Amino acid sequence: MTLDLSVTDVRTCEACWRAQVTAVRHTAQGRDLLCRACAEGGCPRRVDLFPPYGIYRLHRPLNQSASPIRGDGR
């Protein structure tokens, strides 16, 4: 079986981040690119590259109205 990866696909397993991608698991959210061991073990992927508020599962800042820190005024 050949694995068709685009130029923008990752080449490292999205679950263990160590092994080369050799399997694709299709989910409701898209597809997971995994190594064989993680695919057979049912491991979840550990990173979402572009969720709504940034990368690596970051969330929206709690207080949007806070002004930025501009120094200590010396």
Side-chain angles (χ1 to χ4, degrees):
M1 177 176 123
T2 61
L3 187 63
D4 295 327
L5 297 175
S6 72
V7 293
T8 58
D9 285 333
V10 297
R11 301 294 193 247
T12 305
C13 176
E14 295 176 329
C16 68
W17 299 351
R18 291 186 195 108
Q20 184 176 355
V21 170
T22 57
V24 176
R25 177 175 55 205
H26 295 280
T27 64
Q29 292 81 24
R31 65 183 186 153
D32 299 339
L33 301 173
L34 306 168
C35 66
R36 182 177 177 162
C38 290
E40 289 176 353
C43 298
R45 45 187 257 181
R46 294 173 51 192
V47 70
D48 290 326
L49 290 178
F50 298 105
Y53 301 113
I55 61 173
Y56 302 112
R57 298 181 196 241
L58 296 177
H59 300 287
R60 179 178 42 181
L62 295 177
N63 188 354
Q64 292 286 339
S65 64
S67 63
I69 298 172
R70 298 181 188 241
D72 61 2
R74 288 189 221 184

